[in-house]
């Protein structure tokens, strides 16, 4: 399996709290992604980055923000969590160069906002 | 914009039998990649198989193979000799080529395997 890590794996938190979901990869990949996935449902791209200091919003509007200060690290932050943010968040990475590009996924963070 | 359609939300297969999962896509590009990803319950999403559109030969990975019909824009996954560990959600995905490519996923299909 690919070397991409997410912490925490599970998080239960109260409304209004600030949270940061961590994602790190040790493969030196330039591209990183955040997806939101409700149980048994499709994935929605919410943020992506093509390299350090590069971040873009994805197809699904999200109140979260991301940063990319280091190649290996792509944290996602919610300034004020709400019950509507309850979901699973998947991080992925892929190489910018190379003809065959495949995204590798982390184990995900399951977030429950009470 | 590209779209990926998985019209069957659920399928079931008997252990040791063969099952085919359907996927269609829409694109105006001539070169692209197609993928099948597997997401077991509460476990990590992993790549099952990948197909480059310029290759006419269907990709194969052990018990997993695809039927890629470029003209029909169809990309089905065949699982032979199904095992209990194959039970998972399967996602079909499309990616264009180039530095700014992103994955477009289908809605997924839940496969159950009967012992």
């Amino acid at each position: 399996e690919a070397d991409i890590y997410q912490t925490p794996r599970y998080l239960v938190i109260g409304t209004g709290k600030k949270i940061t979901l961590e994602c790190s990869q040790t493969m030196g990949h330039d591209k990183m992604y955040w997806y939101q996935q409700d149980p048994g449902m499709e994935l929605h791209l919410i943020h992506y980055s093509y390299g350090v200091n590069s971040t873009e919003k994805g197809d699904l509007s999200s109140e979260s923000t991301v940063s990319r200060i280091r190649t290996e690290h792509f944290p996602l932050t919610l300034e004020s969590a709400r019950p509507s943010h309850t979901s699973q968040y998947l991080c992925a990475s892929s190489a910018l160069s190379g003809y065959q590009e495949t995204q590798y996924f982390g184990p995900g963070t399951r977030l429950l906002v009470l | 914009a590209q779209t990926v359609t998985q019209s069957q939300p659920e399928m079931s297969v008997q252990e040791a039998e063969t099952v085919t999962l359907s996927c269609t896509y829409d694109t105006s590009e001539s070169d692209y990649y197609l993928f099948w990803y597997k997401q077991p319950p509460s476990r990590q999403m992993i790549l099952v198989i990948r197909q480059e559109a310029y290759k006419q030969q269907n990709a194969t990975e052990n018990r997993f193979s695809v039927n890629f019909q470029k003209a029909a824009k169809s990309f089905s996954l065949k699982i032979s000799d199904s095992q209990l560990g194959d039970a998972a959600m399967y996602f079909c995905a499309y990616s264009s080529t180039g530095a700014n490519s992103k994955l477009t996923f289908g809605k997924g299909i839940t496969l159950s395997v009967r012992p």
Side-chain angles (χ1 to χ4, degrees):
Chain A
E1 292 187 354
D3 297 326
I4 181 164
Y5 310 98
Q6 290 185 243
T7 56
R9 294 290 310 277
Y10 303 91
L11 180 61
V12 181
I13 202 163
T15 296
K17 298 292 186 182
K18 177 180 179 179
I19 59 171
T20 296
L21 308 184
E22 302 288 348
C23 176
S24 295
Q25 49 94 7
T26 59
M27 298 171 284
H29 285 169
D30 296 298
K31 291 184 173 182
M32 296 190 75
Y33 309 82
W34 276 104
Y35 293 89
Q36 184 174 343
Q37 183 189 28
D38 291 331
M41 302 295 286
E42 69 218 88
L43 284 75
H44 294 286
L45 180 67
I46 52 175
H47 297 284
Y48 61 98
S49 167
Y50 289 155
V52 171
N53 295 325
S54 154
T55 61
E56 300 287 344
K57 290 189 179 295
D59 305 320
L60 180 68
S61 176
S62 174
E63 295 168 344
S64 58
T65 59
V66 293
S67 62
R68 190 88 183 275
I69 300 173
R70 304 197 316 266
T71 297
E72 63 270 22
H73 194 213
F74 191 41
L76 180 146
T77 298
L78 277 166
E79 290 291 334
S80 179
R82 295 208 299 267
S84 61
H85 297 141
T86 294
S87 189
Q88 176 171 234
Y89 294 84
L90 298 175
C91 181
S93 72
S94 65
L96 182 61
S97 61
Y99 190 61
Q100 292 187 346
E101 182 175 327
T102 298
Q103 286 190 22
Y104 296 95
F105 284 82
T109 294
R110 292 184 183 271
L111 173 65
L112 173 61
V113 184
L114 303 175
Chain B
Q2 293 81 17
T3 59
V4 177
T5 301
Q6 294 179 255
S7 56
Q8 306 155 304
E10 297 178 351
M11 285 195 75
S12 180
V13 63
Q14 189 75 35
E15 193 175 8
E17 297 293 311
T18 295
V19 64
T20 298
L21 310 183
S22 301
C23 174
T24 59
Y25 59 93
D26 188 25
T27 182
S28 58
E29 298 175 345
S30 60
D31 199 14
Y32 46 86
Y33 304 116
L34 296 165
F35 306 83
W36 278 98
Y37 280 89
K38 171 185 178 182
Q39 188 179 38
S42 300
R43 290 180 60 190
Q44 201 157 344
M45 178 99 74
I46 58 172
L47 177 70
V48 175
I49 201 165
R50 174 181 54 215
Q51 175 81 41
E52 290 88 355
Y54 73 90
K55 290 185 177 179
Q56 293 186 340
Q57 185 173 7
N58 289 325
T60 298
E61 289 287 343
N62 300 314
R63 297 184 295 107
F64 298 88
S65 61
V66 299
N67 183 4
F68 173 48
Q69 301 289 328
K70 191 172 184 179
K73 296 179 181 174
S74 171
F75 183 61
S76 60
L77 174 69
K78 186 173 81 171
I79 306 174
S80 304
D81 186 24
S82 297
Q83 300 175 0
L84 295 178
D86 294 334
M89 201 159 182
Y90 287 82
F91 291 93
C92 179
Y94 168 102
S95 173
S96 57
T97 60
N100 296 331
S101 61
K102 299 191 293 291
L103 277 179
T104 299
F105 284 91
K107 291 183 180 294
I109 178 170
T110 299
L111 177 68
S112 58
V113 181
R114 305 186 302 275

